[in-house]
Amino acid sequence: NMQWSDSLQNLGLDVVLYRRGRYILDLFGSVKPNAKEALNLTLDFKKTDLEILEPFAKEFISKLKGVASGKLSLQGSLLKPAVRGTLKVQNAQFRLNYLNTFYNLEGEVAFKPGEIDINNTILFDELTNPAIMQAKLFHDGFKNFFVRANADFYDFQFLNLP
């Protein structure tokens, strides 16, 4: 359901998304296209396939799989939205492009304006060796990413060179 309000000069949204016949996401709130603070949206993830998020992080990751549940809010400008909230990630798999390595992950990912936090999350390499990881991905409107990470590990594959 989408409805334009002339008096408020905004687009009201209440959208339910299905993917492959399965309910995965609610998107609700409003967008004021001519306002400086144009976005006031909430995304409610319901075991949402993570691969729909890959285009937003393609600079860093690829072959993203798994599901996420939780809520994120998007507020602020159209060009630089502020994202807040937490997603619980299950059965996640991805390739870290820079290192050419594949990982599996379970845990929580917290979003704050300009950063994404992954704290005390267990990460497994392709050989199922575990690492306990804390990472922060800093960004400028989801561009120009910078990563700061710490991990406790033994015999863990970080780099896969040909």
Side-chain angles (χ1 to χ4, degrees):
N1 183 21
M2 294 186 282
Q3 188 170 9
W4 176 257
S5 169
D6 283 328
S7 62
L8 297 173
Q9 287 294 294
N10 77 1
L11 178 64
L13 298 169
D14 190 358
V15 178
V16 177
L17 296 177
Y18 290 85
R19 185 165 195 261
R20 298 179 180 149
R22 196 170 57 84
Y23 171 68
I24 60 166
L25 180 70
D26 281 332
L27 169 65
F28 54 91
S30 63
V31 178
K32 286 186 166 190
N34 298 323
K36 183 178 177 184
E37 300 293 313
L39 299 173
N40 184 17
L41 298 170
T42 299
L43 288 94
D44 190 0
F45 291 76
K46 310 270 189 187
K47 291 195 175 181
T48 303
D49 291 328
L50 290 171
E51 65 186 82
I52 69 167
L53 301 175
E54 191 172 324
F56 302 103
K58 65 184 175 187
E59 183 179 339
F60 277 104
I61 60 174
S62 58
K63 302 187 189 236
L64 183 59
K65 295 180 182 177
V67 296
S69 299
K71 288 186 181 183
L72 297 179
S73 69
L74 277 73
Q75 297 177 332
S77 73
L78 292 170
L79 295 176
K80 218 172 180 181
V83 180
R84 291 177 178 85
T86 302
L87 295 178
K88 181 179 172 99
V89 177
Q90 297 173 299
N91 302 317
Q93 300 173 348
F94 60 94
R95 176 177 172 255
L96 198 55
N97 296 333
Y98 183 73
L99 301 176
N100 193 34
T101 51
F102 285 88
Y103 296 113
N104 295 320
L105 176 137
E106 297 245 354
E108 289 191 352
V109 179
F111 292 80
K112 301 173 187 171
E115 67 184 69
I116 302 169
D117 294 335
I118 303 168
N119 288 311
N120 296 320
T121 298
I122 298 177
L123 190 69
F124 293 93
D125 66 15
E126 290 180 87
L127 303 172
T128 68
N129 297 313
I132 298 175
M133 184 179 81
Q134 300 85 37
K136 285 186 185 263
L137 287 79
F138 299 95
H139 60 84
D140 183 24
F142 292 93
K143 296 177 186 160
N144 305 315
F145 279 86
F146 171 78
V147 178
R148 181 180 302 144
N150 294 311
D152 293 322
F153 60 91
Y154 175 77
D155 200 26
F156 188 82
Q157 182 182 29
F158 274 106
L159 185 60
N160 184 13
L161 295 175

